[in-house]
Amino acid sequence: MEESFDIETELVRLGFDDQYNSCNPPLYQTATFRQDSLSNMGAYDYTRSGNPTRTTLQNYLGRIMGAKATFAVSSGMSALDVIVRLLDPGDEVIAGDDLYGGTHRLLTFLKNKKQLIVNHYDTTDTELMKQKITKNTRMIFLESPTNPLIKVVDVRSITAYAHEINPNCIVVFDNTMMSPVLMSPLADLGVDIQYESATKYLNGHHDIMSGVLATNSEKLAQDLYFVINSTGCGLAPFDCWLLLRGLKTLALRIERQQENAIKIAQFLITVPGLKVRSVALPDHPQYELHKSMAKGPGAVLSFETGSVETSSKIIEACKIWSITVSFGCVNSLISLPCQMSHASIDPDTRAERDLPEDLVRLCVGIENVNDLIKDLAAALRVGGISVPAQ
Ligand SMILES: *Cc1c(COP(=O)(O)O)cnc(C)c1O
C-alpha cells in the first residue's frame, strides 16, 4: 500500500498521474470519450458514469477521509438523496431532532409520501436512542455538533448499539460541521456512511455547490455508485477541479477559523445577558464528549439575546459579518437561522424542538479576529446590549 501522511500533508500533496507531470490536475471538460474500437470501451465513456477529473478528486478525498470509496456529487442534499434511495418503501429510519433544515425537509417529504417511516428523536439522549433503536431500524441519521443549537451526540455508543441490535442498520453521519480535519466518524467512530456538504468547509470559498460521500463497505459503495450513475448527480468536471483547488487549504483555513471562533466565544461570554452555545467553552454540557470524538470545536457558534428584535438589530448593524446563509467560507457570516437556513422547519416544530427564534448564528472566517470582535461589539451596542470595554 502507498505510504500515507497526516491529513495536513495529504491535503497539499494531491497525488495523481498525468502524462506531462502537470503540477495541477488536468480538467477534462468533456461529456464523452472516444473508444479505440467497438470492443474496447476504455476507462471512460460518458461523464455521468465517470470522468478523470472526478476520479482524481475522489481518490484524493479517499486519502483525506480515510475511506475505501468516496463519491463527489452535485450538492450535500444530493448526497443525502443518494443515500435515502438505498432504502425500500416502508423502511423505518431514525433521525435527529436538530438536523440541518434541508435534511429535515427531504426526510419529511418522503415520510409524507408514505415512502419511509421517519421518527425524530433527541439524539443527544443516548438512553432514549437505545430504547428507540429496534431490529426494524434500517437507517439512522446523525449530526454532531448540531447546528445551530450545537448539541453533541455520542456517535460511538449509538452506532455500536445499532449494529448490535441490527448488524444491517446503516448509520449515516453528516460531518459538514467538522470536516475531515477535525473529525473522522467513518474511520474512528464506526459509522457506515459519512457525507458532507462540500459547499461548506471542504471547498471553502462559496463558489460551487457540492457534496461528498464516503464508505468502507464494498456493497454500500456499489449501491451508492449505482444511484449516482443512474440519476446523474455526479459532480461536474469543472466543479471537481474547483473543489480540488479549494481543498488544498482546508487544514489552514480550519485552523485559523477555529482559532478566531474560540476567541469570539471567549469574548461573547463576557457580555452579560447573552446565552452562548459553543463546544469551545468548557461549560458546554457535552464538552468532554465532543473532545473525545473531534480534534477541535470548529468555527460555528450561536448565542441568544432574549428577543428577536434585538437579534435582528445586531445582525443588521454588522459591517464585516455578512448576513448570509450557509457556513464554511473564508469570510465571516452571521444569520438568524429561524428566518433563514431553518425556515423550512415549520414554526410549531421549531418551538417543539426548542429552537429559539432569537438565536444568532456566527460562522467565523479567517479575518483579523480583533476586527471581528470590534464589529460584533459595536453591533451588540446598537442592539442595546452593554458590552464591557475590551
Ligand atoms: C449545507 C448543509 C447540508 C446541505 O448541503 P448543500 O451543499 O447545501 O446541499 C447538509 N448538512 C449540513 C449540516 C449542512 O450545513
Side-chain angles (χ1 to χ4, degrees):
M1 227 178 99
E2 208 196 329
E3 191 181 358
S4 68
F5 298 92
D6 186 89
I7 186 168
E8 293 179 350
T9 307
E10 291 291 351
L11 281 164
V12 183
R13 227 163 60 101
L14 210 170
F16 61 92
D17 289 325
D18 172 61
Q19 58 182 329
Y20 301 114
N21 290 332
S22 93
C23 293
N24 283 302
L27 167 59
Y28 287 87
Q29 187 67 22
T30 181
T32 45
F33 297 81
R34 206 170 43 236
Q35 296 186 199
D36 277 346
S37 67
L38 274 178
S39 57
N40 182 3
M41 262 182 53
Y44 299 95
D45 65 340
Y46 194 47
T47 282
R48 172 154 47 69
S49 308
N51 177 288
T53 310
R54 196 187 300 142
T55 302
T56 299
L57 170 64
Q58 292 181 163
N59 291 343
Y60 174 52
L61 284 166
R63 288 192 298 279
I64 292 163
M65 299 171 86
K68 289 201 178 118
T70 41
F71 302 100
V73 295
S74 57
S75 71
M77 290 325 300
S78 80
L80 180 68
D81 183 46
V82 169
I83 295 167
V84 296
R85 283 169 195 263
L86 304 183
L87 293 163
D88 296 316
D91 273 351
E92 282 183 37
V93 308
I94 290 180
D97 64 357
D98 183 28
L99 295 179
Y100 175 69
T103 304
H104 182 264
R105 176 170 47 202
L106 180 56
L107 292 177
T108 304
F109 173 75
L110 295 169
K111 179 182 177 172
N112 291 344
K113 281 185 164 294
K114 307 251 181 304
Q115 292 184 5
L116 294 179
I117 298 169
V118 184
N119 287 302
H120 293 273
Y121 299 116
D122 178 358
T123 47
T124 63
D125 186 342
T126 308
E127 288 314 307
L128 174 75
M129 287 296 284
K130 286 184 179 174
Q131 282 167 27
K132 300 297 180 185
I133 295 168
T134 70
K135 281 191 171 47
N136 294 329
T137 309
R138 278 289 311 276
M139 214 176 250
I140 300 178
F141 298 92
L142 301 175
E143 228 179 283
S144 183
T146 64
N147 125 60
L149 293 181
I150 321 290
K151 298 203 297 195
V152 178
V153 174
D154 186 347
V155 184
R156 262 192 206 99
S157 304
I158 293 173
T159 305
Y161 185 80
H163 287 154
E164 189 187 313
I165 296 295
N166 174 10
N168 294 323
C169 176
I170 301 170
V171 181
V172 177
F173 192 90
D174 179 340
N175 197 44
T176 308
M177 280 275 279
M178 288 286 102
S179 93
V181 168
L182 297 178
M183 195 158 150
S184 299
L186 183 72
D188 299 337
L189 308 176
V191 308
D192 301 289
I193 301 175
Q194 173 179 339
Y195 77 103
E196 320 200 355
S197 165
T199 314
K200 316 288 169 59
Y201 289 111
L202 296 184
N203 182 58
H205 297 77
H206 279 184
D207 49 13
I208 57 159
M209 302 287 306
S210 167
V212 303
L213 293 140
T215 183
N216 285 326
S217 149
E218 228 166 86
K219 168 82 172 73
L220 287 176
Q222 276 171 9
D223 293 349
L224 293 170
Y225 175 74
F226 184 88
V227 178
I228 294 166
N229 186 33
S230 303
T231 60
C233 65
L235 191 61
F238 186 48
D239 289 351
C240 290
W241 190 86
L242 284 172
L243 181 51
L244 281 159
R245 176 166 139 145
L247 272 163
K248 290 181 198 168
T249 54
L250 177 67
L252 199 58
R253 285 186 276 109
I254 297 257
E255 183 180 313
R256 173 62 173 255
Q257 284 172 284
Q258 177 169 272
E259 187 184 301
N260 283 355
I262 293 169
K263 288 182 184 154
I264 287 162
Q266 285 164 350
F267 156 68
L268 287 172
I269 54 170
T270 67
V271 181
L274 297 185
K275 182 175 170 198
V276 185
R277 296 170 192 253
S278 160
V279 270
L281 301 171
D283 69 352
H284 186 287
Q286 295 141 317
Y287 178 77
E288 290 300 332
L289 175 61
H290 178 74
K291 239 175 123 178
S292 74
M293 299 188 293
K295 290 189 202 146
V300 176
L301 61 153
S302 61
F303 64 89
E304 286 155 67
T305 63
S307 101
V308 178
E309 202 196 339
T310 306
S311 296
S312 308
K313 270 193 199 152
I314 295 167
I315 291 172
E316 290 186 334
C318 285
K319 294 199 175 79
I320 304 174
W321 298 82
S322 86
I323 308 174
T324 310
V325 292
S326 194
F327 58 85
C329 195
V330 285
N331 59 310
S332 292
L333 314 176
I334 191 164
S335 67
L336 198 63
C338 284
Q339 289 178 25
M340 298 169 66
S341 53
H342 289 63
S344 59
I345 303 175
D346 66 82
D348 291 345
T349 310
R350 290 202 301 258
E352 199 180 293
R353 296 185 187 163
D354 298 322
L355 192 60
E357 299 285 321
D358 64 324
L359 192 76
V360 178
R361 186 180 77 177
L362 299 177
C363 306
V364 183
I366 63 171
E367 301 92 336
N368 177 287
V369 73
N370 296 327
D371 287 339
L372 290 174
I373 291 175
K374 256 189 244 164
D375 192 35
L376 206 50
L380 287 165
R381 290 191 187 103
V382 172
I385 291 176
S386 70
V387 180
Q390 279 109 68

